[in-house]
Amino acid sequence: MSEKTIENYGKSFLVLILPLSFLIVFLVNTWKVLLVILGLLMVFNLWQQYRWEKWCNQVNPLFYQLIRENQGKITPMDLAIKGNFSGQVAKRYLDGKAKEFGASVLDSENEDQSYYFITASILGDILDSSESLEKLPAQPVTKIARSFLAPPPPIAQEEETETESESLPEPTHEEVKKPLEEQLVFGSLIQSELAKRLNVYSSTVYKRRNDPDFAEWCRSRDPDGIAWSYSRKSKEFFPIQE
């Protein structure tokens, strides 16, 4: 190896060792100060976390009240208006609760982000609505006026794209052609029956039943173009007469 090559290797080594040496000297001289700064940052983070948890404990009763009133559905705007604080804080709070309770989050272009929390009573309502048809006695079928059976309006291509993920497999020919009056009992449908008629999952109907555009959403999916409304009192779905 020539003398010039050895000299080049020495210069390269110095270029690497000098910054490392300066760093070591800096840490040796300032490690106490750095340790104090690190300790202060840890204490500050613990204090911030303590304040956040204390604030969350104060908001929890308001959160549970809204869950009961809205049947499990809540948005950051609902919580912010009710608690009189910013929407960003409300969203952070709901994100934490969604992780804690495993809630489902629904993003919508037309409205604020929605969080769905399933409680025991709400789950019982879903199961009851799915099984109530078997418990009903045989009764005369209520007929619906022909005005309900108006042809459905054309469906926009964008709406079909949005609801494609919610659709079930294509229903059979008999299910599509089955008259509406043969599906109705006392002039109404329960959740599972309406879901089968709209060709969606029962949980999809449950999530959308309190939405302002629920009637138009049902009309766009109903084979006869019928709009449906939800009654919280009877927990059934009724056709809307136009």
Side-chain angles (χ1 to χ4, degrees):
M1 183 177 297
S2 64
E3 181 178 353
K4 187 175 181 180
T5 304
I6 297 175
E7 183 180 356
N8 291 335
Y9 275 113
K11 291 181 180 179
S12 300
F13 182 74
L14 288 176
V15 171
L16 295 176
I17 199 69
L18 285 177
L20 184 61
S21 301
F22 287 132
L23 179 61
I24 293 175
V25 172
F26 175 78
L27 292 176
V28 169
N29 294 329
T30 61
W31 68 272
K32 293 181 180 180
V33 177
L34 295 177
L35 188 61
V36 171
I37 295 175
L38 180 61
L40 291 176
L41 290 176
M42 292 179 62
V43 171
F44 179 75
N45 288 334
L46 290 175
W47 172 247
Q48 289 287 84
Q49 184 177 357
Y50 168 77
R51 291 184 58 190
W52 175 255
E53 292 179 354
K54 184 178 180 180
W55 181 85
C56 289
N57 290 334
Q58 297 175 353
V59 178
N60 282 340
L62 181 63
F63 166 73
Y64 297 136
Q65 179 184 353
L66 288 174
I67 290 297
R68 288 191 297 268
E69 292 177 355
N70 299 336
Q71 296 182 331
K73 178 183 178 181
I74 187 172
T75 65
M77 182 177 293
D78 295 333
L79 186 61
I81 294 175
K82 194 75 174 180
N84 194 24
F85 42 77
S86 67
Q88 185 176 1
V89 174
K91 187 177 185 305
R92 179 186 174 187
Y93 175 86
L94 291 178
D95 287 339
K97 286 298 180 182
K99 293 180 181 179
E100 180 180 354
F101 296 111
S104 58
V105 183
L106 180 63
D107 293 322
S108 176
E109 297 180 356
N110 299 328
E111 60 180 11
D112 200 1
Q113 193 175 43
S114 302
Y115 297 77
Y116 292 88
F117 296 84
I118 304 299
T119 63
S121 59
I122 295 174
L123 183 60
D125 292 342
I126 297 176
L127 296 177
D128 291 342
S129 63
S130 300
E131 297 174 358
S132 58
L133 183 61
E134 300 177 358
K135 301 178 182 179
L136 291 175
Q139 296 289 342
V141 176
T142 303
K143 293 186 177 181
I144 303 299
R146 292 185 179 180
S147 60
F148 289 128
L149 305 180
I155 304 175
Q157 184 175 359
E158 295 181 357
E159 185 175 355
E160 292 178 350
T161 304
E162 292 177 357
T163 57
E164 182 178 356
S165 59
E166 302 173 348
S167 301
L168 293 170
E170 290 296 328
T172 61
H173 180 74
E174 296 179 357
E175 292 177 344
V176 175
K177 295 300 182 181
K178 189 175 182 181
L180 174 61
E181 54 267 21
E182 294 183 10
Q183 300 181 32
L184 289 172
V185 178
F186 306 114
S188 63
L189 294 179
I190 61 175
Q191 181 172 295
S192 59
E193 294 174 325
L194 182 61
K196 183 181 295 186
R197 178 176 180 82
L198 301 182
N199 192 28
V200 296
Y201 292 104
S202 181
S203 60
T204 303
V205 176
Y206 170 77
K207 291 180 179 180
R208 289 182 174 269
R209 63 185 182 180
N210 294 318
D211 292 347
D213 59 345
F214 178 72
E216 291 301 323
W217 178 78
C218 291
R219 187 197 304 275
S220 66
R221 303 195 64 85
D222 190 277
D224 295 319
I226 298 175
W228 296 83
S229 63
Y230 173 66
S231 172
R232 292 189 178 183
K233 183 176 181 181
S234 63
K235 298 179 181 179
E236 295 175 334
F237 298 86
F238 295 86
I240 300 176
Q241 185 175 6
E242 297 181 354

